């Protein structure tokens, strides 16, 4: 199996124009795994045609060594390591190192990395003022778009994106500071004072501490809850060229500031078809209300005239169980048992899952529960407000976004991303002065 893609392809793909009979041979590029790609970069020059793939259902936008998904088999690998093993054996910071640098760290390397991240968790005092500009009831994802964009103005040194050392520091700053900014967004909406980071705690413990401690009472860390949070962070850390990651890469391709690129990723993540689904799952369970109402909602999800979709079900790439959902379900059981929570919403979710998995509509379309189906239930049990769920996804995905940005910047062929289109508007016509318009 090739270790890298083959740039001098032995294989080609011939495309024939049925109208003219003319043929063009296009190179076929192979990766380590996954479908081979037809390299169409010469297509326009040789044939005058573009390709049309509006939602990128059959388009590879880049070469990447970071993450591999086999959607048919339900496999997710980061740098060759299976997500289920990482979730069980690794930590979030170790996974971040793996995504950023390509290998699992040795002991010394991990200690240095942890030290560097820990030393960057505090944020500039002036950033606090930015929060005051938001309404108290602002969605925390709106706050995150704003404050992370603001960070670009605080770190001028990170503006030299061609310097590998500055890129490394920018990546570490983001992984370290986004949790602090997220916890502050939660505190702001609750009207509680911000809680400063503590260097004696692990990354995940510190995050929970910043979210839940109050001056009057220290948050009591419970190991199973810390472990579940750690798993949530590992499971969401990267997912190859999804909408938000592609947004970060596209923004970065114009040589923009990395912090601003991450802010653009946050915006893309927010929608309910992507990271916003974990919030949407709980809202949907609330709307369903009772087991008896499930059949009605299943029928609505199948009705093409009704915009309702079963949130937490289906995935563009997975046509099998999302491996992250399997781990998440396990964690969900552990956390609810530890916290002694008997959640009727979980019962409702289980029943919904059972009915949907046995329904021909969902079976035929290979619609399985995805990672967001269970994460919301765990996060709610931990005490996070529903609006924070997508923010937690963003905290974790920051590692993937910045690793993908770093990989793109390290390549020797950075070129601005510039898709083309099929114009379907009016043909050229003369301007009509307003008085003459009918
Ligand atoms: N409920 C009902 N029908 C669905 C659903 C659903 N959740 N998902 C897909 N379908 C149907 C869809 O209507 C289509 O039917 P038909 O072939 O008859 O037209 C078929 O299944 C294929 O769906 P699609 O819309 O072509 O699939 P897609 O790849 O464009 O969309 C998706 C993927 C995740 C946006 C979609 O499945 C969805 O909206 N799911 C609910 C939202 C959700 O849970 N999102 C989280 C994704 S995982 C976390 C992340 O990576 O961000």
């Amino acid at each position: 199996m090739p270790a890298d893609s083959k740039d001098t392809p032995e294989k080609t793909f011939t495309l024939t124009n049925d109208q003219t009979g003319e043929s063009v041979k296009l190179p076929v590029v192979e990766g380590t795994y996954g479908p081979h790609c037809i390299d169409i970069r010469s297509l326009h020059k040789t044939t005058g045609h573009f390709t049309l793939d509006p939602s990128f259902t059959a388009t590879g936008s880049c070469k990447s060594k970071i993450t591999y998904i086999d959607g048919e088999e339900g496999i997710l690998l980061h740098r060759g390591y299976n997500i289920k093993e990482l979730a069980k054996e690794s930590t979030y910071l170790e996974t971040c190192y793996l995504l950023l640098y390509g290998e699992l760290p040795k002991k010394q390397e991990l200690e240095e990395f942890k030290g560097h991240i820990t030393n960057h968790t505090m944020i500039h005092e002036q950033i606090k003022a930015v929060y005051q500009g938001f309404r108290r009831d602002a969605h925390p994802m709106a706050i995150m778009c704003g404050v992370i964009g603001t960070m670009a103005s605080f770190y001028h040194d990170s503006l030299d994106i061609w310097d590998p050392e500055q890129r490394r520091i920018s990546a570490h700053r983001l992984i370290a500071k986004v949790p602090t900014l997220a916890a502050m967004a939660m505190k702001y909406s609750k009207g509680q004072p911000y809680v400063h980071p503590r260097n004696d705690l692990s990354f995940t413990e510190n995050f929970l501490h910043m979210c839940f401690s109050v001056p009057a009472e220290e948050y009591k860390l419970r190991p199973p809850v810390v472990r579940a949070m750690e798993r949530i962070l590992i499971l969401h850390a990267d997912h190859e060229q999804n909408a938000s990651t592609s947004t970060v890469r596209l923004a970065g391709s114009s040589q923009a500031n990395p912090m601003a690129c991450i802010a653009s990723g946050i915006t893309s993540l927010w929608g309910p078809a992507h990271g916003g689904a974990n919030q949407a799952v709980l809202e949907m369970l609330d709307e369903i209300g009772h087991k008896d109402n499930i059949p009605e909602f299943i029928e609505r999800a199948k009705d093409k005239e009704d915009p309702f979709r079963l949130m937490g079900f289906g995935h563009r790439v997975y046509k099998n169980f999302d491996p992250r959902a399997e781990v998440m379900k396990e964690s969900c059981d552990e956390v609810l048992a530890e916290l002694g929570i008997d959640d009727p919403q979980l019962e409702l979710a289980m029943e919904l899952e059972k009915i949907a998995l046995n329904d021909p509509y969902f079976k035929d379309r290979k619609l399985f529960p995805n990672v967001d189906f269970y994460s919301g239930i765990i996060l709610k049990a931990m005490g996070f407000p529903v609006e924070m769920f997508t923010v937690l996804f963003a905290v974790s995905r920051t590692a993937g976004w910045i690793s993908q940005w770093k990989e793109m910047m390290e390549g020797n062929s950075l070129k601005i991303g510039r898709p083309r289109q099929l114009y379907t508007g009016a043909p050229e016509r003369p301007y009509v002065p307003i008085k003459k318009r009918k």
Side-chain angles (χ1 to χ4, degrees):
M1 209 160 301
D4 194 356
S5 64
K6 289 182 183 165
D7 278 334
T8 348
E10 292 114 33
K11 293 183 185 159
T12 54
F13 193 97
T14 303
L15 207 63
T16 307
N17 184 328
D18 287 340
Q19 273 72 50
T20 63
E22 278 174 64
S23 291
V24 58
K25 262 193 202 329
L26 295 164
V28 170
V29 195
E30 294 178 28
T32 312
Y33 296 131
H36 300 171
C37 289
I38 305 164
D39 183 341
I40 57 157
R41 278 174 288 185
S42 63
L43 191 72
H44 180 236
K45 216 170 173 184
T46 50
T47 70
H49 286 68
F50 290 145
T51 53
L52 183 66
D53 184 16
S55 310
F56 307 114
T57 51
T59 298
S61 61
C62 62
K63 290 180 187 173
S64 180
K65 293 182 165 69
I66 301 178
T67 292
Y68 172 71
I69 304 172
D70 182 335
E72 295 300 323
E73 297 296 324
I75 293 170
L76 168 61
L77 307 178
H78 292 319
R79 305 283 192 182
Y81 295 99
N82 193 300
I83 190 67
K84 289 185 185 171
E85 263 185 283
L86 290 172
K88 217 165 138 199
E89 310 284 346
S90 185
T91 60
Y92 177 65
L93 278 194
E94 189 180 61
T95 305
C96 291
Y97 185 99
L98 177 68
L99 292 171
L100 276 172
Y101 301 112
E103 297 295 335
L104 286 170
K106 298 194 185 80
K107 202 164 181 279
Q108 177 69 15
E109 289 167 333
L110 184 60
E111 286 315 310
E112 275 173 25
F113 182 63
K114 276 189 198 163
H116 211 218
I117 298 293
T118 308
N119 285 326
H120 279 99
T121 49
M122 280 173 64
I123 56 136
H124 197 290
E125 274 300 291
Q126 237 177 308
I127 290 188
K128 287 184 186 165
V130 178
Y131 285 78
Q132 308 303 319
F134 286 92
R135 287 168 57 129
R136 275 285 168 202
D137 60 355
H139 195 288
M141 281 299 273
I143 299 181
M144 293 300 281
C145 295
V147 291
I148 294 177
T150 305
M151 288 237 293
S153 72
F154 280 79
Y155 297 102
H156 293 294
D157 57 342
S158 62
L159 287 179
D160 184 2
I161 53 171
W162 306 112
D163 176 357
E165 182 56 13
Q166 292 190 38
R167 288 202 294 262
R168 190 181 70 88
I169 295 172
S170 296
H172 292 193
R173 276 193 177 128
L174 275 156
I175 292 170
K177 291 182 200 302
V178 169
T180 311
L181 295 169
M184 286 170 69
M186 178 165 149
K187 290 293 182 193
Y188 182 73
S189 67
K190 286 191 161 190
Q192 290 178 0
Y194 304 130
V195 175
H196 290 290
R198 262 180 46 191
N199 288 2
D200 60 322
L201 298 176
S202 75
F203 180 90
T204 303
E205 288 171 344
N206 178 51
F207 180 54
L208 290 168
H209 153 77
M210 289 190 294
C211 288
F212 294 113
S213 279
V214 286
E217 198 175 353
E218 186 73 1
Y219 174 67
K220 197 167 158 271
L221 290 158
R222 298 203 217 189
V225 173
V226 176
R227 184 69 205 146
M229 189 72 234
E230 189 90 40
R231 277 191 177 176
I232 288 175
L233 294 174
I234 296 171
L235 292 175
H236 289 86
D238 192 51
H239 214 224
E240 55 120 303
Q241 308 312 319
N242 54 82
S244 56
T245 303
S246 298
T247 306
V248 169
R249 277 191 181 250
L250 194 55
S253 77
S254 76
Q255 304 170 21
N257 177 292
M259 315 256 170
C261 295
I262 300 303
S264 72
I266 302 240
T267 346
S268 170
L269 184 75
W270 192 356
H274 193 5
N278 52 14
Q279 173 173 346
V281 169
L282 278 217
E283 287 165 354
M284 173 189 75
L285 292 174
D286 268 347
E287 201 186 340
I288 296 176
H290 192 274
K291 276 202 275 202
D292 296 349
N293 302 330
I294 293 176
E296 178 199 328
F297 281 86
I298 295 272
E299 286 316 306
R300 281 188 59 195
K302 295 196 256 183
D303 180 359
K304 299 290 170 212
E305 303 297 312
D306 190 327
F308 177 80
R309 278 192 162 194
L310 221 50
M311 300 316 286
F313 263 77
H315 198 275
R316 169 62 59 81
V317 185
Y318 293 118
K319 301 301 166 200
N320 202 324
F321 253 92
D322 178 342
R324 303 168 301 169
E326 290 178 55
V327 180
M328 201 64 93
K329 190 175 178 185
E330 257 176 57
S331 276
C332 195
D333 294 341
E334 274 171 36
V335 168
L336 295 188
E338 160 68 19
L339 299 177
I341 292 175
D342 189 12
D343 188 348
Q345 259 182 338
L346 181 64
E347 260 177 62
L348 192 59
M350 297 301 174
E351 189 63 22
L352 183 63
E353 183 196 33
K354 202 166 82 193
I355 296 177
L357 288 176
N358 287 307
D359 188 295
Y361 173 95
F362 292 88
K363 276 165 107 170
D364 294 349
R365 288 167 181 74
K366 299 186 175 168
L367 300 170
F368 292 90
N370 59 49
V371 68
D372 288 325
F373 192 68
Y374 300 103
S375 61
I377 293 169
I378 309 184
L379 294 171
K380 183 181 154 216
M382 286 178 179
F384 283 104
V386 175
E387 296 74 32
M388 277 298 288
F389 294 178
T390 315
V391 174
L392 299 170
F393 195 151
V395 166
S396 163
R397 186 56 59 84
T398 298
W401 289 330
I402 200 64
S403 301
Q404 299 268 353
W405 173 83
K406 184 172 161 286
E407 179 180 64
M408 180 181 73
M409 299 304 298
E410 281 165 359
N412 51 12
S413 56
L414 181 70
K415 203 170 156 78
I416 188 165
R418 177 48 167 102
R420 301 305 302 268
Q421 62 168 13
L422 179 68
Y423 176 68
T424 56
E428 188 173 2
R429 46 189 169 161
Y431 178 81
V432 183
I434 197 156
K435 281 189 222 151
K436 293 196 178 165
R437 283 176 217 162
K438 294 193 184 118

